[in-house]
Amino acid sequence: MLKPIFGISPQAISQMVNRDVVEQHIEEASFQWLQHMNAVSRPDYSLADIVELDGYIEANLEGIYLGNETAWEICEPLLEDDIEYLFPATILAFRRDNKVWQRSVLKALTSENESAFIHALGWLSYDMVKPFVTQLTNDKRPFYQYIGIAVCGLHRQMPDVDLRQLLQANIPLLKVRVIRLIGELKCHDFRKDLHSYLADENDDYRFWAAWSLALLGERVNIIPNMIRFVEEPGDYPIPALQVLLRIADEETQKQIIDKLIATNELKLAVIGAGIAGYPEYISWLIEIMAQPELARLAGESFSMITGVDIDYDDLVVEDNEDESGNLTSSDIDEEELDESFFDDDDEDDLDEYEQDLPVPDPQLIAEWWQQYQPHFNVGIRYLMGKTINEGHLFEILQSGFQRQRSSAALELALLSPYYLFFETQVKGERQQRYSLGGKY
C-alpha cells in the first residue's frame, strides 16, 4: 500500500533561519563597519578599496535582514556590549521599519556608542530615515537634536528645524555640530550668526565658526583666527593649517611655513608644505626624510605635491639582509639613517596621523625629483602632480587615496562658495555617485 510522505513544504523551508549563520553575519557586519571607519581616514585606501569593503558589509547586512526576528533576538542583547553591534541592529530596525526595534536602539544610544548609530543612519538612504531624523532634530532633548544634526551632516541634507533656535541652546556639543553643518551645507544666510562666535571664549565655537565661514567664502577675518589656532597648542593646529594654507595668498602661505620651520615646529611645517603644494619646498622635504621621526610625513607631503605613489614606484626604504644577517638598505648608507627606519614594531608607537605611511628613501626620491623637477613651476600650487582646478579635483575624488581625496574635497569646497563640502567617510557607493558629478 502507498503511504503518504510527510515532510516540510518548500514555503516553510524558505522561512527557516539558520541561527548560527545569522549570528556570523552580525559579527562580520559589526567588525567590518569598524574596518570601514578606520579605512576612510587611512592614507593607503582608495575609494575603490572602500567600495569593495562596503560590499562585504552590505552582503552581511543582507543576511541579517533575511534573518529578521532571529537576527533581532541576537542583536538586542548585544546592544549593551561593544559599540559596533549598534550598527547592524540600527540598520535592521530601520530597514524593517519596526518601531519597537527602533525605540530599543534609541534607548541603547549613549555618548560612547553614538558614532555607530549616526553612521548606521548615514548608511541608509535619507528618504528611509528622514521622518525619524526630523523627530530627533525637533526633540526637546539636546543630545537627540545633536544626533539628528549629525545624521543630516553625513547626508548633506538641510534638517527640518530652525537652526537659529538650535544655536540658542547653551549645549556645546549641539552648538558646535550646528555651526559645522552651516559650513558643510553652505548656508550663506547664517554668516552674521557665525561672526558672533569669532571672538567667543570657547575655542570650539571660534574654530568651527571660522572654518564654516571659510567654506562660505570669507577670508579677511578668518586668516588671523586660523593663524592663532595653528600657533596655539590644542586640538586644532592641523585642521586650522588645512584651511589656512588654502585660503591665504602665496606670500602669507610661505611666511607661515617658514615661521613653523624657524620655531622648530617641523611636523606642522612638513604637513603644511604638502598642503600649500609649492614645489620649492621639495628639496627641504627630501632633507627632512633623513629624520626618522618625520620621514613618513615628509614622504606624504612629497606625494601630495608631485602625485607620485612612492610605495608603488619603489621609492621606499627596503629591508634586506646581508650575509651577516644585518638589516640594510641597498640604496642608503646605514650610517645615515637611524635603525628605527627598519623597525616594524615602531609602527605601533607612531602618531595616528603617521600610521600606515611608507618610509621614503631620500636618495631614490632625490633621483626622481632631479628627473621630473622641470615639470613643476616655482610659485604654482600643485596637488597630486597637477595645478589645482575643478576638473583635477574631481579626478582625485575618483582615484586618489583617502587623505588625498579629503584634501581635494576641501580644496573644492573652498574653490567655490557654492560647492558642498564632500563627505569622504560615508558609504563608498554614495561617494562614487557624487565624485562622478551626481548628487548626494
Side-chain angles (χ1 to χ4, degrees), residues 29-50:
S30 302
F31 172 75
Q32 287 163 354
W33 171 72
L34 291 178
Q35 294 293 96
H36 169 95
M37 294 306 297
N38 178 49
V40 292
S41 57
R42 279 180 56 161
D44 56 345
Y45 264 68
S46 66
L47 178 56
D49 297 326
I50 302 297

Side-chain angles (χ1 to χ4, degrees), residues 55 61-62 71 117 148 151 153 205 246 270 275 279 297 399 403 431:
L61 290 175
E62 186 65 22
F117 185 78
V151 175
Y205 298 167
R246 290 184 166 97
V270 168
I275 296 169
L297 290 176
S399 59
R403 287 236 278 260
Q431 293 189 52

Side-chain angles (χ1 to χ4, degrees), residues 44 65 129 196 201 233 307 335 348 359 366 368 393 398 415 433:
D44 56 345
Y65 178 78
V129 301
S196 65
E201 294 181 357
E335 294 179 358
D348 296 333
V359 181
W368 186 96
L393 294 175
Q398 295 169 33
L415 189 66
R433 287 199 302 270

